[in-house]
Amino acid sequence: DTGASVVELLRAMREAGYDLGSASIPGLDTEHSDDLIHAIIAAGGQDPDWLTEEQMEASPHRIPAETYRRWFATLPDELRTEVVEAWGEAPGELYVHDDTIYLAALEFGNVLVMVQPPRGFGENPVAIYHDPDLAPSHHYLAAYRWLREPAANGGFGAHLVCHVGKHGNMEWLPGKNVGLSAECGPDAAIGDLPLIYPFLVNDPGEGSQAKRRAHAVLVDHLI
């Protein structure tokens, strides 16, 4: 499962010398991968039915609405119009508390484990994963922009992102199929941040989508 995959990735990174901090890492130090998932849920997760204001207030990973508005203003006009039509004016209402956008994440040294922002909501959230028309939400754009912005600009300053789990939703955001521009959803989200993507070897079609629309470097693995 995804939890076990993330734990194995963290273990390999620590053995390779990456700084994962000195605190105990759920799942890695307890040998139960579900502990990592439960820790993320305890931190708030991204289920609006269970997320509380207290969890959002306690999270260290938050983006002031004014910071996001500044980032949002740099996007192309056409994309901004589509986002506002779908989700209202920035910063929207999803995962927002006290004019601050909340992110579900756990930080270990220089490594951040974050739940990918939701693509769909309502009765059938999975169906929206492949929607070619629905613009990404403010929360979605804010999360990825925060990842790649340096700390001096209010972001995390990641050097790269590793998507774990097949498949995610960024490569299915609206926009062109090839030769993406700044107005396309995937490009607006990931920008030029390097993306590594361990991917199931028997699904080359969806793997190609991640390569073609999100400049992912695929690392194939067996089923």
Side-chain angles (χ1 to χ4, degrees):
D1 65 354
T2 301
S5 298
V6 174
V7 167
E8 287 302 315
L9 176 60
L10 291 173
R11 179 175 289 110
M13 292 179 70
R14 185 157 70 178
E15 292 174 352
Y18 286 85
D19 179 8
L20 269 64
S22 57
S24 177
I25 300 176
L28 181 58
D29 297 325
T30 61
E31 298 298 328
H32 297 286
S33 60
D34 282 352
D35 290 347
L36 181 65
I37 302 301
H38 290 308
I40 293 177
I41 293 173
Q46 284 179 335
D47 186 336
D49 291 335
W50 299 99
L51 185 63
T52 67
E53 292 184 356
E54 289 76 16
Q55 287 172 313
M56 286 190 283
E57 290 172 353
S59 172
H61 305 108
R62 295 182 292 169
I63 306 168
E66 188 54 41
T67 298
Y68 171 67
R69 291 189 185 101
R70 186 174 71 249
W71 294 343
F72 185 64
T74 66
L75 296 175
D77 291 344
E78 182 177 340
L79 178 60
R80 293 206 315 271
T81 297
E82 293 172 353
V83 173
V84 170
E85 287 178 350
W87 305 104
E89 295 292 340
E93 298 180 357
L94 295 169
Y95 309 104
V96 174
H97 177 64
D98 272 350
D99 215 29
T100 303
I101 300 173
Y102 157 84
L103 303 176
L106 298 173
E107 192 168 346
F108 307 112
N110 291 338
V111 177
L112 186 84
V113 178
M114 187 173 83
V115 180
Q116 187 173 47
R119 172 80 172 111
F121 301 87
E123 293 182 0
N124 194 356
V126 176
I128 301 176
Y129 272 26
H130 302 86
D131 191 315
D133 302 312
L134 180 63
S137 69
H138 290 294
H139 174 262
Y140 198 107
L141 293 172
Y144 273 99
R145 185 65 176 263
W146 176 81
L147 274 178
R148 55 190 174 95
E149 283 289 330
N153 293 341
F156 178 73
H159 292 168
L160 65 85
V161 170
C162 181
H163 281 177
V164 180
K166 196 283 302 176
H167 62 77
N169 52 45
M170 189 184 69
E171 58 267 31
W172 303 97
L173 293 177
K176 293 186 288 185
N177 285 325
V178 293
L180 275 64
S181 69
E183 295 179 347
C184 300
D187 193 81
I190 196 70
D192 59 0
L193 187 62
L195 172 61
I196 297 176
Y197 207 155
F199 214 90
L200 201 62
V201 72
N202 69 343
D203 194 356
E206 290 183 336
S208 297
Q209 181 85 347
K211 291 177 64 176
R212 186 174 64 244
R213 305 194 73 242
H215 63 249
V217 175
L218 299 189
V219 181
D220 290 330
H221 62 85
L222 297 177
I223 60 174

